[in-house]
Amino acid sequence: MNKYQHILLAVDLSEYGEYVSEKALSLAHKYQSKFSIIHVLDNIPMPDTNYGTVIDLNHDSDYDLLEVEKSKLKELGKALGVTVDHQHLVWGIPKQEIITFAKQQHVDLIVLGSHGRHGLALLLGSTATAVLHTADCDVMAVRLPME
Ligand code: AMP
């Protein structure tokens, strides 16, 4: 297998994220790849914000719900040893933003969970299915327990 240059970990910040993250990180270490994390904000209202808007993690807002999401992403980044400039928070539809980011940033492997908080009843969640079918690069769907 060729060496991956840039691995993108897509996280929904659910309880299973850690398991997926560890697998992605171990691949990044193995291949000495650039490693980025993306979380797409789709669970809080963001009035007057266009899909695809990148949220600045270095700038505090007075929107509490947004600050909570930022903190969760930063905590995960810290736990994985990923600097803030490689953590990305984007407002939009997860499958679209993951694929757009991967194209723009020349990602050659996307790592995500087989399901997440939207797909607990499915063998393969809708984000995972869409990314697997649409991405230009390799995609690894980490099989997660169904319970
Ligand atoms: P789903 O297909 O929505 O059940 O989720 C499958 C996987 O896609 C999750 O385990 C995450 O790795 C990724 N994912 C889902 N939602 C998001 C999101 N909002 N931001 C980033 N990644 C996500």
Side-chain angles (χ1 to χ4, degrees), residues 35-135:
F35 187 71
S36 302
I37 309 176
I38 187 169
H39 174 62
V40 183
L41 266 181
D42 65 339
N43 57 339
I44 60 170
M46 293 285 288
D48 304 324
T49 307
N50 293 325
Y51 282 164
T53 300
V54 176
I55 312 294
D56 186 352
L57 290 171
N58 294 309
H59 179 261
D60 291 343
S61 71
D62 51 12
Y63 185 15
D64 290 346
L65 290 176
L66 179 58
E67 292 308 303
V68 169
E69 296 301 307
K70 281 186 189 174
S71 300
K72 285 191 210 165
L73 180 58
K74 284 186 188 174
E75 266 172 39
L76 175 68
K78 196 173 169 192
L80 297 176
V82 177
T83 53
V84 175
D85 53 322
H86 289 110
Q87 301 169 17
H88 304 275
L89 187 61
V90 184
W91 163 244
I93 300 169
K95 59 189 178 191
Q96 283 178 9
E97 299 308 331
I98 292 166
I99 287 164
T100 301
F101 181 94
K103 273 189 194 148
Q104 288 174 346
Q105 299 296 321
H106 307 293
V107 167
D108 47 8
L109 176 67
I110 300 170
V111 179
L112 38 60
S114 56
H115 64 77
R117 55 185 156 82
H118 299 304
L120 279 172
L122 305 170
L123 277 176
L124 203 57
S126 62
T127 307
T129 303
V131 172
L132 274 163
H133 282 105
T134 325

Side-chain angles (χ1 to χ4, degrees), residues 13 21 32 38 54 88-89 138-139 142:
L13 302 177
S21 305
Q32 296 182 318
I38 187 169
V54 176
H88 304 275
L89 187 61
D138 288 359
V139 179
V142 177

